Amino acid sequence: MEHLLVAILNGTIYGLLLFMVSAGLTLIFGMMGVLNFAHASFYMLGAYVAYALSGVLGFALAVIVSPLVVGAVGVVVERYFLRRVHRFGHAHELLLTFGLSFIIAELIKLFFGNFPVDYRVPADLSFSAFRIGGTDYPVYRLIMGAVALAMFGVIYALLTTTRVGIVVRSAIFRPRMAEALGHNVPLVFMGVFGVGAALAGLAGALAGAFYTTNPNMALELGVLVFVVVVIGGLGSLEGAMVASLLIGIVTSLAVGIDASFADLLGIIGLGDWARAVGGPLTLQVSSLAATIPFALMLLVLLVRPSGLFGDKS
């Protein structure tokens, strides 16, 4: 029971981290229709900027300033790169952001080296929040989860209950009408892209101290972020939250399962046959944990191609 509770907690926190990264991508796609392949690179950039600033400003200020820096980078990318190719369609945007992800990765290696950096949780935050059986649960994990929940609440309230949200949504669905009412639609798009990049930077600044900050962290998480967005539904903030938690918890639980399909078939007397067949039937579930998010994506696409919370139209 102890291991089950820890696995669920770890999966929930990991899922909330996935949401922190995917929220910006969901926001950008939902508002602008741009699938940003460089989004995970903004996550990595946030971790490295926080690492570079932590020695000068301290950990807390570095975590605050880092998303602002990454957001500014996002603004520059939208204003001087994406805006120039937007009229040519999605293919050009995908190629541009795909190339940008390589440029950011190479710049990181050039300035920080092709190895992990020593970016860690500060000593005053390295303590246990509570104890489950014989396991001490770190308070920093709970802080990451709390920030993710606060991020969801702020974004949702901003988009649904404020004038800013009304302007943003009107700029997306009725851009000409929004311009006729005096709103600067290109400026709205630039702000949305910058905010989306800043959210990814905040996730990197927080998670990079707990996990490993290395030049491959964007590649490790980038594919999963797109899986989250597809499962949740393109452009759906609620869908991104549900999909992130689903992937995080299911993957965390699967890692702790040492049984195989042959063991399952043994319940109905087919265990020896399955072991004789071998192959996938004898693989342990824990060894397949990394493929579970993709299996979930395929299942969701088969049942509901628009995603869990996506617009059917």
Side-chain angles (χ1 to χ4, degrees):
M1 190 63 182
E2 169 192 338
H3 296 294
L4 178 62
L5 290 176
V6 172
I8 292 175
L9 269 175
N10 288 340
T12 300
I13 300 300
Y14 182 65
L16 290 173
L17 169 63
L18 285 178
F19 170 76
M20 290 178 69
V21 184
S22 62
L25 182 62
T26 300
L27 190 66
I28 290 171
F29 183 84
M31 300 300 136
M32 303 175 61
V34 176
L35 270 177
N36 179 17
F37 267 96
H39 191 73
S41 298
F42 291 138
Y43 161 76
M44 177 174 67
L45 191 60
Y48 274 94
V49 171
Y51 161 71
L53 294 177
S54 60
V56 179
L57 303 177
F59 180 79
L61 274 179
V63 169
I64 295 173
V65 174
S66 174
L68 300 179
V69 175
V70 178
V73 173
V75 166
V76 172
V77 168
E78 197 285 330
R79 174 62 181 85
Y80 295 102
F81 297 94
L82 272 177
R83 190 176 299 183
R84 295 176 180 270
V85 303
H86 184 69
R87 63 181 182 275
F88 297 112
H90 295 302
H92 289 73
E93 294 170 343
L94 291 176
L95 288 173
L96 175 64
T97 55
F98 187 66
L100 181 63
S101 67
F102 282 97
I103 292 173
I104 293 176
E106 292 304 316
L107 287 175
I108 290 293
K109 294 176 184 178
L110 179 65
F111 285 99
F112 296 97
N114 192 16
F115 48 82
V117 296
D118 189 24
Y119 181 42
R120 300 180 183 179
V121 178
D124 53 352
L125 291 177
S126 298
F127 60 91
S128 173
F130 50 81
R131 191 176 182 85
I132 302 178
T135 304
D136 291 325
Y137 204 79
V139 71
Y140 193 79
R141 279 184 179 267
L142 301 181
I143 292 175
M144 289 193 296
V147 171
L149 291 174
M151 178 190 293
F152 174 76
V154 169
I155 297 174
Y156 186 81
L158 190 66
L159 292 177
T160 58
T161 64
T162 67
R163 179 179 174 81
V164 173
I166 294 173
V167 171
V168 169
R169 285 182 286 127
S170 63
I172 298 306
F173 297 108
R174 296 291 186 269
R176 292 184 180 178
M177 181 62 72
E179 284 182 330
L181 292 173
H183 299 296
N184 189 334
V185 173
L187 182 62
V188 172
F189 284 173
M190 184 174 67
V192 168
F193 196 90
V195 169
L199 294 178
L202 175 60
L206 285 171
F210 188 81
Y211 300 102
T212 303
T213 297
N214 64 82
N216 295 319
M217 61 190 299
L219 184 63
E220 294 167 358
L221 201 63
V223 178
L224 269 184
V225 171
F226 278 96
V227 171
V228 167
V229 173
V230 171
I231 292 178
L234 296 174
S236 172
L237 194 66
E238 302 93 326
M241 173 61 83
V242 172
S244 299
L245 291 174
L246 179 64
I247 289 175
I249 293 173
V250 171
T251 303
S252 180
L253 291 174
V255 168
I257 299 177
D258 292 328
S260 65
F261 291 108
D263 297 325
L264 182 63
L265 291 173
I267 299 175
I268 57 176
L270 297 176
D272 293 335
W273 170 81
R275 293 184 186 90
V277 172
L281 294 178
T282 57
L283 291 176
Q284 294 183 335
V285 175
S286 57
S287 65
L288 301 173
T291 65
I292 288 178
F294 303 98
L296 286 174
M297 181 179 69
L298 290 175
L299 179 62
V300 170
L301 289 176
L302 286 173
V303 177
R304 187 180 171 88
S306 59
L308 297 177
F309 289 81
D311 187 358
K312 291 184 179 180
S313 60

